[in-house]
């Protein structure tokens, strides 16, 4: 037995060790294996062995001690849990003997988590569960979970959507206060708000949208004048119906955006508001915030003004009908339109043509990328994927929305604070690669400074039709940064504009609703609550989460649909390249699948400058926009990744300078909210 002196010496030694050890704060990063890392705040990663990783969860904030385990190698020892950010997760119920567990689907949680008897909510084996952590594993590596909701079983109709909502913590039901607020509104409430507004109900505004659309948030009108056209864009005005401190406003901020999931959207505002009382439906009076602007003959914008008005849409028109009218096709529905509407549509087309011409000369246009519509069956799974054609009516609406948003941005630049969409152009970490690309394949453009707005615009314009051995424009489109919300005006380089915002979708995007409040507060001193910097970051994060959720569900449905493909060769183009292989987008249905270098003969090297994959011996090349033939080879279930097998490809790919087809890169660059389906 140790005497008192020995015990005191041990205590002192332990105290000295505690005082002298260096503790680093950081965030836990998971891997596909049982080990992990701590991303230290100082900027480096520290290895966590499996026994330490068992004590923490992905995203946990921890203090960690660095230990040297062998010469030159160190690892982390968890010292303290600061904060756990993983509160809820989705998993599958598993019973093994007397043990009841949830197997999380969250990447990086490679363990079964025990569920105590009182926390199981009568779940059955193989049920999908929505859970929270009941006990963190920090003390002994043995966490416990609590079932919050049983979602359902694999194969049930709509299970994919339900799981996506739970995975991304998206609410499918409205809080009681929001429901009560929506139910308290009716046509009489709208009529009571018409006071002090301009009466424009006799003017021939029309909505142009898809036939199934119910949340119609813009109506258009154009008239010719001496110097061009008087264009009027009426935008639905939900800010007049819901107060800035109301439950519906709070929920709209929390949701940030409507999410257009295949088959069943998740709205930002209750249907009573978004599809009935505020939607610009035909033949009923509706409140609107109207932007009147002058479009000059050359497509430049003249004076503009904003008005609070009451309008009455004279027709809900489809894109196809308006396109038929523009192209002079015979259509019985066109013959039924009043002359005032036909005249306005003709002037709208002329004004939009001038606007587009101006943007093509002075700003940047996004390419018409192929789009596809998912048709679902009674089980809410894809039965068909159909191409959608972007016609003149789509471009007409787009130009009107961009013009109105440019006016809103200009107005906000004159206010103490606004809400803008900035786009910084090329990613900072890709500057050297871009410089090398231009020097190698477009040396006559090497003097252009692509880090500046005018330089970026010039580079994107001059590479659009460039003939080179590599598709320079498509490669540049893969190097774009993500657009960001900001209180101050700044260039939107993806659109080639000095300032940009959106206010044309207030029924669908909270940022647009907020811009309404800023404009109305400045002009008519209406009440508003200014966003804080923290709220702005939260809003942007929620928008990103919504986009990820929509992509997640669409990827899931597409991967299931891909299993119905035959093994016949299919035409496609390479849409993305990475060191491990390349992704191919099928021309027939837009499905994107991966071709692994492991399935190709020989070894390939990846060039980060040209984004090419080149065979190390025979020089065979795979690059962006190259036409290839592939066949379906399966689905990687964990990532829901469609895999293709190369059937044949041109050994010398055709050089192309057309617009890249990468949806994400274009979304990051534009982020304008003006395209409608």
């Amino acid at each position: 037995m140790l005497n008192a002196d020995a015990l005191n010496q041990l205590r002192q030694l332990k105290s000295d060790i505690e005082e002298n050890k260096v503790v680093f704060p950081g965030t836990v990063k998971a891997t596909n294996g049982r080990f992990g890392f701590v991303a230290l705040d100082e900027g480096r990663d520290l290895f966590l062995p499996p026994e330490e990783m068992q004590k923490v969860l992905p995203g946990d904030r921890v203090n960690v001690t660095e230990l040297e385990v062998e010469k030159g190698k160190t690892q982390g020892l968890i010292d303290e849990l600061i904060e756990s950010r993983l509160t809820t997760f989705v998993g599958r119920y598993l019973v093994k003997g007397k043990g009841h567990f949830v197997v999380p689907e969250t990447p990086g949680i490679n363990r079964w988590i025990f569920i105590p008897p009182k926390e199981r909510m009568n779940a059955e084996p193989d049920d999908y569960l929505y859970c929270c952590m009941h006990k963190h594993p920090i003390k002994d590596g043995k966490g416990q979970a609590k079932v919050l909701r049983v979602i359902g079983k694999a194969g049930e109709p709509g299970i994919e959507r339900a799981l996506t909502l739970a995975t991304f913590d998206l609410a499918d039901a409205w809080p009681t206060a929001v429901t009560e607020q929506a139910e308290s509104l009716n046509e009489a409430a709208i009529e009571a708000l018409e006071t002090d507004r301009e009466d424009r109900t006799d003017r021939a505004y029309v909505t142009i949208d898809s036939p199934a659309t119910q949340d119609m948030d813009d109506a258009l009108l154009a008239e010719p004048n001496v110097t061009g056209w008087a264009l009027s864009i009426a935008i639905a005005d939900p800010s007049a119906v819901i107060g800035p401190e109301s439950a519906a406003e709070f929920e709209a901020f929390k949701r940030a955006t409507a999410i257009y999931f295949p088959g069943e959207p998740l709205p930002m505002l209750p249907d009573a508001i978004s599809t009935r009382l505020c939607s610009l439906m035909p033949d009923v009076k509706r409140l609107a915030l109207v932007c009147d602007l002058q479009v000059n003959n050359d497509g430049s914008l003249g004076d503009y003004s904003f008005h609070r008005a009451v309008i009455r849409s004279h027709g809900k028109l489809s894109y196809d009908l308006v396109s038929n009218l523009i192209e002079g096709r015979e259509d019985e529905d066109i013959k039924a339109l009043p002359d005032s509407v036909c005249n306005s549509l003709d002037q709208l087309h002329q004004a939009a043509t001038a606007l587009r011409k101006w943007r093509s000369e002075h700003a940047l246009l996004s390419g018409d990328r192929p789009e596809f519509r998912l048709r679902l069956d009674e089980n809410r799974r894809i039965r068909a994927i159909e191409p959608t054609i972007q016609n003149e009516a789509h471009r007409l609406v787009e130009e009107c929305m961009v013009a109105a948003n440019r006016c809103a941005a200009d107005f906000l630049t004159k206010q103490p604070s606004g809400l803008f969409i900035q786009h910084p152009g090329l990613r900072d970490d890709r500057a050297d690669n871009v410089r090398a690309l231009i020097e190698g394949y477009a040396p006559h453009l090497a003097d252009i400074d692509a880090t500046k707005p005018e330089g970026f615009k010039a580079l994107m314009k001059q590479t659009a039709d460039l003939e080179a051995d590599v598709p320079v424009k498509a490669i540049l489109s893969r190097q774009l940064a993500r657009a960001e919300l900001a209180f101050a005006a700044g260039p939107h380089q993806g659109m080639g504009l000095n300032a940009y915002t959106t206010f044309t979708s207030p029924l669908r995007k909270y940022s647009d609703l907020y811009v309404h409040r800023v404009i109305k507060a400045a002009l008519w001193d209406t009440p508003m609550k200014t966003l804080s910097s923290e709220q702005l970051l939260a809003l942007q994060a929620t928008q990103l989460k919504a986009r990820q959720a929509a992509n997640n569900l669409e990827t899931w449905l597409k991967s299931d649909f891909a299993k119905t493909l035959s093994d016949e060769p299919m035409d496609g183009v390479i849409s993305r390249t990475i060191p491990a292989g390349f992704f191919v987008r099928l021309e027939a249905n837009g499905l994107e699948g991966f071709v692994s270098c492991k399935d190709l003969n020989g070894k390939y090297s990846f060039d980060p400058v040209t984004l090419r994959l080149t065979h190390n011996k025979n020089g065979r090349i795979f690059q962006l926009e190259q036409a290839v033939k592939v066949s379906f080879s399966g689905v990687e279930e964990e990532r829901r990744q469609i895999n293709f097998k190369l059937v044949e490809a041109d050994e010398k790919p055709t050089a192309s300078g057309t617009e890249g087809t990468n949806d994400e890169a274009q979304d990051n660059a534009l982020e304008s909210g003006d395209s409608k389906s």
Side-chain angles (χ1 to χ4, degrees):
M1 180 178 293
L2 295 174
N3 59 30
D5 288 340
L7 287 173
N8 287 333
Q9 289 176 358
L10 286 174
R11 293 191 188 102
Q12 185 61 45
L13 178 61
K14 183 178 180 181
S15 177
D16 290 343
I17 292 173
E18 288 294 322
E19 289 178 4
N20 294 325
K21 74 178 181 181
V22 180
V23 176
F24 300 95
T27 303
V28 175
K29 290 168 49 176
T31 67
N32 290 330
R34 294 179 58 238
F35 62 90
F37 295 89
V38 176
L40 303 180
D41 291 354
E42 65 178 36
R44 61 190 178 94
D45 287 352
L46 184 60
F47 176 74
L48 279 184
E51 61 271 18
E52 292 300 304
M53 191 63 191
Q54 192 73 10
K55 301 176 185 177
V56 290
L57 301 167
D60 279 356
R61 291 283 298 164
V62 296
N63 281 329
V64 62
T65 304
E66 186 172 15
L67 301 176
E68 185 172 355
V69 290
E70 56 182 273
K71 190 173 182 179
K73 293 186 178 181
T74 64
Q75 66 183 39
L77 180 67
I78 301 297
D79 190 75
E80 177 187 18
L81 176 68
I82 302 173
E83 177 190 7
S84 184
R85 296 176 178 174
L86 182 72
T87 54
T88 59
F89 61 93
V90 169
R92 195 185 292 243
Y93 196 55
L94 175 70
V95 178
K96 282 290 184 181
K98 296 183 178 180
H100 292 242
F101 305 89
V102 57
V103 183
E105 299 223 325
T106 302
I109 307 184
N110 300 318
R111 69 184 80 172
W112 301 351
I113 302 177
F114 180 71
I115 307 176
K118 294 182 179 180
E119 311 297 346
R120 295 170 185 167
M121 286 191 65
N122 299 316
E124 299 177 353
D126 292 328
D127 277 345
Y128 279 112
L129 310 174
Y130 180 57
C131 301
C132 69
M133 290 303 299
H134 183 61
K135 174 192 170 188
H136 195 281
I138 187 66
K139 290 184 178 180
D140 56 9
K142 298 177 181 179
Q144 293 184 3
K146 175 181 180 179
V147 178
L148 299 177
R149 185 171 75 251
V150 176
I151 300 172
K153 282 186 166 60
E156 294 179 353
I159 189 65
E160 298 87 354
R161 183 179 185 274
L163 273 171
T164 299
L165 292 177
T167 299
F168 289 89
D169 281 319
L170 300 172
D172 202 17
W174 299 103
T176 302
V178 177
T179 301
E180 291 175 350
Q181 182 180 353
E183 291 176 348
S184 71
L185 299 170
N186 52 31
E187 293 290 347
I190 300 300
E191 186 175 352
L193 294 168
E194 295 176 4
T195 308
D196 298 329
R197 287 177 174 256
E198 296 180 26
D199 185 349
R200 298 194 178 188
T201 54
D202 62 336
R203 304 189 66 185
Y205 288 99
V206 293
T207 62
I208 305 173
D209 223 314
S210 298
T213 300
Q214 299 299 318
D215 52 347
M216 292 167 287
D217 45 22
D218 59 84
L220 307 174
L221 172 68
E223 298 171 343
N225 56 30
V226 175
T227 58
W229 300 267
L231 179 61
S232 187
I233 299 101
I235 306 299
D237 192 6
S239 65
V241 178
I242 60 174
E245 300 282 356
S246 68
E249 175 92 2
F250 177 79
E251 186 67 15
F253 171 79
K254 185 178 177 182
R255 296 188 177 210
T257 179
I259 307 177
Y260 288 88
F261 289 126
E264 188 178 355
L266 186 70
M268 184 184 77
L269 293 168
D271 284 347
I273 297 172
S274 62
T275 67
R276 294 196 292 277
L277 296 177
C278 288
S279 178
L280 303 183
M281 300 186 296
D283 302 322
V284 293
K285 290 183 177 182
R286 285 294 177 259
L287 308 179
L289 178 60
V290 180
C291 178
D292 289 340
L293 64 115
Q294 172 65 29
V295 179
N296 298 321
N297 286 317
D298 64 354
S300 62
L301 302 184
D303 293 337
Y304 63 85
S305 57
F306 293 96
H307 307 265
R308 290 183 297 182
V310 180
I311 74 159
R312 180 178 64 86
S313 170
H314 286 218
K316 178 186 177 185
L317 310 182
S318 70
Y319 288 115
D320 287 343
L321 185 147
V322 174
S323 182
N324 288 340
L325 184 147
I326 290 172
E327 296 174 8
R329 297 174 185 167
E330 293 293 328
D331 191 312
E332 291 300 319
D333 291 333
I334 293 175
K335 294 179 181 179
L337 293 176
D339 289 343
S340 59
V341 169
C342 290
N343 292 336
S344 176
L345 289 171
D346 179 59
Q347 299 303 318
L348 280 168
H349 177 235
Q350 293 184 45
T353 301
L355 287 167
R356 193 167 188 85
K357 183 174 183 294
W358 185 93
R359 283 213 297 146
S360 69
E361 294 173 352
H362 301 281
L364 291 174
L365 294 175
S366 60
D368 286 337
R369 56 189 177 186
E371 295 186 2
F372 298 86
R373 179 180 292 111
L374 307 184
R375 299 292 190 185
L376 305 189
D377 60 21
E378 64 277 6
N379 293 317
R380 302 185 193 177
R381 295 184 179 87
I382 298 175
R383 62 174 172 81
I385 302 179
E386 302 171 351
T388 61
I389 307 300
Q390 296 292 304
N391 56 37
E392 282 300 308
H394 289 91
R395 286 183 277 273
L396 182 158
V397 173
E398 178 186 358
E399 292 305 323
C400 291
M401 297 303 104
V402 171
N405 287 328
R406 287 171 59 198
C407 293
D410 184 75
F411 179 82
L412 293 186
T413 60
K414 302 175 176 65
Q415 309 309 314
S417 179
L419 187 60
F420 299 87
I421 303 174
Q422 297 183 3
H423 183 261
L426 298 169
R427 287 171 49 175
D428 290 339
D429 62 338
R430 303 294 175 87
D432 290 342
N433 288 346
V434 169
R435 194 175 300 111
L437 174 70
I438 299 304
E439 290 174 352
Y441 296 91
H444 62 291
L445 304 178
D447 291 337
I448 294 177
D449 186 356
T451 63
K452 300 292 186 353
E454 287 305 315
F456 175 83
K457 186 193 304 184
L459 186 62
M460 298 302 282
K461 280 180 173 295
Q462 294 186 49
T463 56
D465 298 315
L466 181 68
E467 293 187 6
D469 291 337
V470 299
V472 176
K473 180 71 176 292
I475 296 170
L476 291 174
S477 296
R478 295 289 317 175
Q479 320 296 330
L480 300 182
R482 186 178 293 280
E484 297 177 345
L485 295 174
F487 291 128
H492 192 302
Q493 295 193 43
M495 298 184 71
L497 299 172
N498 292 330
Y500 196 68
T501 191
T502 58
F503 86 111
T504 51
S505 297
L507 299 176
R508 312 175 186 194
K509 293 170 60 183
Y510 183 82
S511 55
D512 291 41
L513 177 62
Y514 182 80
V515 171
H516 274 231
R517 294 210 184 279
V518 176
I519 294 172
K520 293 168 71 175
L523 292 175
W524 301 291
D525 198 28
T526 57
M528 71 167 292
K529 185 178 180 181
T530 304
L531 289 175
S532 66
S533 298
E534 292 76 15
Q535 288 174 316
L536 185 66
L537 291 174
L539 181 63
Q540 185 157 284
T542 307
Q543 287 180 344
L544 177 59
K545 182 175 76 170
R547 191 179 304 118
Q548 291 170 337
N551 290 340
N552 180 82
L553 178 55
E554 191 167 308
T555 297
W556 191 344
L557 295 176
K558 285 180 176 179
S559 68
D560 281 345
F561 177 77
K563 297 171 186 176
T564 67
L565 297 174
S566 69
D567 57 0
E568 292 296 314
M570 299 171 287
D571 292 321
V573 294
I574 296 178
S575 57
R576 186 155 58 102
T577 57
I578 59 176
F582 54 87
F583 291 85
V584 175
R585 178 173 292 151
L586 299 182
E587 292 183 355
N589 53 29
L591 289 181
E592 191 170 86
F594 184 63
V595 176
S596 174
C597 285
K598 294 179 180 179
D599 297 329
L600 303 175
N601 292 327
K603 293 185 178 181
Y604 284 78
S605 297
F606 179 74
D607 181 2
V609 173
T610 62
L611 306 185
R612 278 176 159 182
L613 284 161
T614 305
H615 195 283
N616 291 349
K617 291 185 177 180
N618 64 25
R620 190 180 197 185
I621 291 171
F622 295 105
Q623 68 181 26
L624 293 178
E625 299 191 337
Q626 178 180 342
V628 294
K629 283 186 180 293
V630 295
S631 61
F632 175 69
S633 66
V635 172
E636 186 180 327
E637 295 295 345
E638 185 175 348
R639 291 189 292 173
R640 302 189 179 101
Q641 176 181 284
I642 302 170
N643 290 324
F644 290 147
K645 180 180 179 181
L646 187 69
V647 175
E648 62 181 50
D650 295 333
E651 293 199 17
K652 293 183 178 179
T654 302
S656 172
T658 57
E659 185 74 30
T661 58
N662 173 48
D663 290 354
E664 182 181 357
Q666 292 190 13
D667 287 343
N668 292 347
L670 298 181
E671 198 107 2
S672 62
D674 300 315
S675 61
K676 305 190 319 181
S677 58

